[in-house]
Amino acid sequence: GEQRLDEAQSQWVAPEIPCTLLMQLHWEASEDTWREHAVTTLRDELQPDTVIADFDWHVIFRFDSVDRCGQAYDAIKTLLDMCEDAERCYTHPYIRTVQHVGLEPQMRLNVEETGRA
C-alpha cells in the first residue's frame, strides 16, 4: 500500500502549464467595440499562444514560450510602473494591471532547468 504510493509520487511529473498573464483592462472595456479592439491589438502586439477574453475587464494570455511571456510581462509592467495613481493611469492604452498566474517567468525557467522551484 504505502510503498506503492511513494513510488507513484516519485514518478509523478507536473504537467506543462503555459506561462499565463492576467490583465485587467481599463474601464472602457465595458464597451464591446473598445474591448474587441483592445484584445485584437494586444493579441497582435504580444502574440500569445492562447487568448481567453470572455470577461468584461480582464483578458488572459497564455504563452508556451517562457521567454516571450516574460518579455510581454516586463514590457507591460515597465509602462504601468510609471503610474502614480493606478485608477487614473493610462501609460498603457489598454491595460490597467498585469499579473502572473502561477509561477513568474524567471521561477518557471528555474523549474524547467533544475526540476525544482
Side-chain angles (χ1 to χ4, degrees), residues 24-27 80-92 95-97:
Q24 180 181 7
L25 304 176
H26 291 298
W27 300 119
L80 298 181
D81 283 347
M82 295 179 196
C83 298
E84 291 183 24
D85 180 357
E87 292 294 322
R88 296 188 182 102
C89 184
Y90 282 81
T91 55
H92 193 286
I95 300 171
R96 198 165 156 262
T97 64

Side-chain angles (χ1 to χ4, degrees), residues 3 9 13-14 30-31 35 91 111 113:
Q3 181 73 23
Q9 287 174 338
V13 176
S30 61
E31 301 169 18
R35 184 177 59 256
T91 55
V111 169
E113 290 171 7

Side-chain angles (χ1 to χ4, degrees), residues 58-104:
H58 293 86
V59 62
I60 296 171
F61 281 5
R62 290 189 175 142
F63 298 84
D64 293 335
S65 165
V66 176
D67 288 333
R68 281 192 309 125
C69 183
Q71 290 167 358
Y73 177 84
D74 290 344
I76 296 165
K77 188 81 170 114
T78 298
L79 285 174
L80 298 181
D81 283 347
M82 295 179 196
C83 298
E84 291 183 24
D85 180 357
E87 292 294 322
R88 296 188 182 102
C89 184
Y90 282 81
T91 55
H92 193 286
Y94 306 113
I95 300 171
R96 198 165 156 262
T97 64
V98 62
Q99 63 187 22
H100 293 282
V101 177
L103 293 177
E104 293 184 12

Side-chain angles (χ1 to χ4, degrees), residues 38-55:
V39 170
T40 299
T41 302
L42 290 169
R43 178 186 294 135
D44 292 346
E45 284 178 12
L46 302 175
Q47 302 198 348
D49 295 293
T50 305
V51 176
I52 302 170
D54 300 335
F55 314 101

